[in-house]
Amino acid sequence: MARKSHVQTTINGETVEFLCESRQSLLEVLRDELYLTGAKEGCNNGNCGACSVILDGRLVNSCLVLGVETEGKSVETIEGLADPDKLHPIQDAFLENAALQCGICTPGFIMSAKALLDSNPNPTEHEIRYWLAGNLCRCTGYDKIVKAVMDAAKETSA
Amino acid sequence: MEKFSYVNATSLEQVTSLLSESGWGEVMLIAGGTDLLAELKEYIETPKTLVNLKTLPGMDSIEVDASGLKIGALATVADIAMHPTIQHHYTVLSQAAGSVATPQIRNVGTLGGNLCQRPRCWYYRDESTDCLKKGGDICYAVDGLSKYHAILGGDPVYIVHPSDLAPALIALGASIKIVGPAGEKTMSLEEFFTLPAANPFRENVLEPNEIVVEVSVPVPKPNTKSFYLKAREKGAPDFALSSVAGVFEMDGKTCKTASIVLGGVAPAPWRSKEAEAAVTGKMIDESVSQQAGADAVKDAEPLNDNMYKVTLTRNLVSRAAMMAAS
C-alpha cells in the first residue's frame, strides 16, 4: 500500500514522469520531487492561493490536488510563463506597477491573472477583483496588483 | 496526512462494493477533494483507501430539458455558476454557486462534494478536540466560542451546515439520486439532510455504502424571482455567517408561493416555513417583509457569541422578500 505511483504528466509543455506517494499533493510533487519551487506553500488548505497553478486549463490550488491525479493531464506553473529572454506581459506589468513587496504571493497571483486573461482578455476592475479573490496578499493592499492585471490585459489584448 | 492507497473508480457497482466491504471512514470517496484533503491533513479522517470518482464517465454533465435540470454529482461548482441556463432561469443556484469559496476551489469542487461536505466548526476541525460530532461527550460550542455556530436546530450539536448550493437547491424543490448496493433511490433534497437530534455524527441520511450521483431540479414556475443573499464577515471568499435562498412565484407585488431556505444558521439547510407563510398570498410591502424576517427567527436560540446572527438573518429574509416585490 505504501508503494509509490508512477505518474506521467505534461508540465509547461514538456512530458514529465515522476514517482510519488498517493498522499503527496501536486504542490509537494512540484516543489520536492521536480524542484519547481515557484508555487509556494502558504496555508496548505485552499485559503491563500500561493500554490495556484493551471491544471488542464483550470486554475487550481496545487495543495488541494493529489500528485497522482495529474496522470495524463497538463500543468502550467509560473516557471513556464516567461520566454528565456523575455518576461511574460503579466510579469512585466507586476514589475512596472510595483505589484509585489515580499513576493511570496506573486507566482500564485500571476497564474490566477493568466487564467483570467486566457478566458477573458478584457476584464473590468470588478471582474479582476472577483477572479483574483482566491489569492491573498498581505503587503500590497491589492490595488497595485489589480492595476498590474489591467495593464497586462491592455498589453496582451492590444 | 496518513498514507492511503488510491484507486480509480471504474463503475458505481465497484464503488458501492468497496464501501460495503469496509467500516465508516476506512474507504473514502474523493471527487474535488477540497474538503476531504483538508480533513486528511488535519487527521480528522484517516482512510486506508481513497476511491477517485473523477474517472466515472458521464457524471459531470449538466442537462437541461423541458422537465428541468439534471446535474451530475461530479459537475463542478464553477460549471454550475457559469451555466447560461442556470444563470437565467435558476438564478438562486447560479448566485449560490458563484458565492462559493474561491475560483480555484469552484474549479475543482463538485456538486456532490458540496452537499456532503463536513462542518467547518473549529472544534470539529481541531485534531485534538474529541467533540460530540466525533464521538466525544460534549459540543464545545455550547459553553465555548460560538461565533459561527447554529442559532436554529442545534441541540445537541451546534455546527452549521456550510453548503451554499444546498439551500438554493432545496428552495428550487430539488431531488437527489443516491446509489447503493441495492440499487438507486431518489428523495427530496430537503429530506436528505438531518439534524443532530436524529444523528449527531452525520449531516445527511447517506448510508456508509451509498453515493450521491445526481440532483434534479424542476423548472421554476412562470414569473418566479429567485436570489441567494449571503452575509460574510468581510468582502472576501468565506462561508456564510447567514444566507437566504429565496424562490418567489410572483403576480406583480403579490407572492403566490415562496420557498425560503436559510444557510449558515443551522446544522442542516433550514427551510423557514414561518417566513414562507408570512409572504404567501400577500402583497409584499415593508411590513410584510419585516414580518417574514421576524417570523424566520422567532424560534432562534442563540449561543453566547452568535446573537448577531438572529438580527442578520431577520434582515436578510426581509431584504429577500422586498427584492421579490421590486
Side-chain angles (χ1 to χ4, degrees):
Chain A
M1 120 166 211
R3 283 174 61 187
K4 290 191 173 185
S5 300
H6 173 263
V7 178
Q8 181 172 318
T9 185
T10 303
I11 298 182
N12 299 325
E14 289 183 18
T15 303
V16 173
E17 296 177 66
F18 57 84
L19 292 174
C20 73
E21 286 187 43
S22 47
R23 64 176 167 172
Q24 280 180 290
S25 68
L26 172 58
L27 177 63
E28 288 169 321
V29 168
L30 289 172
R31 294 182 58 87
D32 302 341
E33 308 294 334
L34 304 173
Y35 308 113
L36 293 168
T37 56
K40 299 289 185 278
E41 180 181 306
C43 66
N44 204 25
N45 64 17
N47 272 297
C48 77
C51 65
S52 298
V53 301
I54 297 174
L55 178 64
D56 274 358
R58 284 187 163 219
L59 186 71
V60 302
N61 294 315
S62 61
C63 75
L64 290 182
V65 173
L66 295 173
V68 289
E69 295 182 284
T70 63
E71 171 70 34
K73 298 198 169 171
S74 174
V75 183
E76 294 172 63
T77 73
I78 187 75
E79 285 88 350
L81 225 55
D83 289 334
D85 56 354
K86 191 171 179 303
L87 290 177
H88 187 279
I90 301 172
Q91 293 171 314
D92 271 332
F94 269 63
L95 286 177
E96 284 299 316
N97 285 279
L100 63 154
Q101 287 179 33
C102 86
I104 198 159
C105 71
T106 310
F109 263 104
I110 289 177
M111 295 313 289
S112 293
K114 176 160 193 305
L116 169 62
L117 298 184
D118 283 350
S119 64
N120 178 1
N122 287 300
T124 63
E125 180 179 339
H126 178 79
E127 287 171 331
I128 292 171
R129 288 183 184 273
Y130 180 75
W131 291 106
L132 265 55
N135 296 78
L136 298 183
C137 171
R138 296 282 85 133
C139 306
T140 64
Y142 301 104
D143 279 358
K144 292 175 173 182
I145 293 173
V146 173
K147 192 160 178 304
V149 178
M150 295 185 89
D151 282 1
K154 275 186 218 142
E155 185 69 26
T156 51
S157 66
Chain B
M1 247 187 280
E2 298 283 1
K3 291 184 180 185
F4 52 80
S5 58
Y6 182 85
V7 181
N8 283 320
T10 54
S11 69
L12 286 172
E13 294 74 33
Q14 174 220 21
V15 173
T16 55
S17 133
L18 282 167
L19 289 170
S20 297
E21 289 160 13
S22 71
W24 270 119
E26 281 178 37
V27 173
M28 296 189 78
L29 309 178
I30 182 167
T34 56
D35 184 41
L36 180 68
L37 291 182
E39 286 196 286
L40 300 195
K41 289 177 187 192
E42 299 295 333
Y43 300 92
I44 308 300
E45 296 286 358
T46 51
K48 295 194 169 56
T49 303
L50 279 195
V51 182
N52 173 29
L53 299 177
K54 292 188 291 295
T55 46
L56 290 173
M59 265 179 59
D60 61 352
S61 63
I62 300 177
E63 292 173 25
V64 184
D65 64 23
S67 67
L69 289 175
K70 283 190 169 48
I71 312 176
L74 293 179
T76 65
V77 178
D79 287 343
I80 294 169
M82 301 301 285
H83 194 284
T85 303
I86 298 178
Q87 286 176 337
H88 287 118
H89 299 294
Y90 304 83
T91 315
V92 63
L93 177 57
S94 170
Q95 289 177 348
S99 81
V100 171
T102 65
Q104 288 90 328
I105 286 174
R106 292 194 294 275
N107 276 342
V108 291
T110 63
L111 169 61
N114 187 276
L115 298 179
C116 297
Q117 65 183 304
R118 303 309 309 276
R120 308 304 301 193
C121 168
W122 41 40
Y123 297 111
Y124 170 76
R125 294 274 165 170
D126 179 39
E127 178 193 346
S128 58
T129 302
D130 190 19
C131 72
L132 187 47
K133 187 101 212 146
K134 291 186 281 193
D137 296 327
I138 296 172
C139 175
Y140 289 95
V142 175
D143 290 321
L145 299 167
S146 53
K147 184 175 177 186
Y148 302 115
H149 290 80
I151 55 170
L152 287 160
D155 193 25
V157 174
Y158 288 81
I159 60 131
V160 296
H161 201 283
S163 174
D164 290 304
L165 300 187
L169 287 164
I170 291 172
L172 287 166
S175 54
I176 186 166
K177 192 196 283 184
I178 293 163
V179 166
E184 70 177 46
K185 62 184 177 190
T186 300
M187 65 175 71
S188 81
L189 187 60
E190 191 177 354
E191 291 167 3
F192 174 72
F193 293 101
T194 54
L195 288 171
N199 182 350
F201 311 119
R202 311 296 302 178
E203 297 80 55
N204 57 59
V205 298
L206 213 56
E207 295 290 333
N209 53 11
E210 290 180 329
I211 171 176
V212 172
V213 295
E214 187 180 87
V215 171
S216 303
V217 189
V219 178
K221 300 219 173 68
N223 302 315
T224 289
K225 287 190 182 176
S226 76
F227 17 73
Y228 188 68
L229 304 181
K230 176 174 175 178
R232 287 174 275 211
E233 194 155 28
K234 52 192 182 304
D238 206 346
F239 294 93
L241 297 172
S242 174
S243 67
V244 177
V247 177
F248 301 87
E249 186 194 356
M250 301 298 290
D251 178 6
K253 287 187 184 300
T254 301
C255 175
K256 290 168 76 178
T257 61
S259 293
I260 298 173
V261 183
L262 312 178
V265 292
W270 190 265
R271 178 106 186 240
S272 180
K273 294 224 159 67
E274 298 84 355
E276 293 170 1
V279 296
T280 302
K282 305 247 174 68
M283 197 179 93
I284 298 180
D285 57 14
E286 204 162 313
S287 84
V288 168
S289 69
Q290 286 187 358
Q291 191 62 47
D295 288 354
V297 295
K298 72 176 165 45
D299 295 328
E301 292 179 337
L303 301 167
N304 291 333
D305 306 327
N306 64 5
M307 184 65 200
Y308 74 95
K309 281 197 180 189
V310 178
T311 319
L312 188 60
T313 306
R314 186 191 73 198
N315 291 345
L316 282 180
V317 170
S318 297
R319 192 191 303 171
M322 284 305 280
M323 285 169 70
S326 67

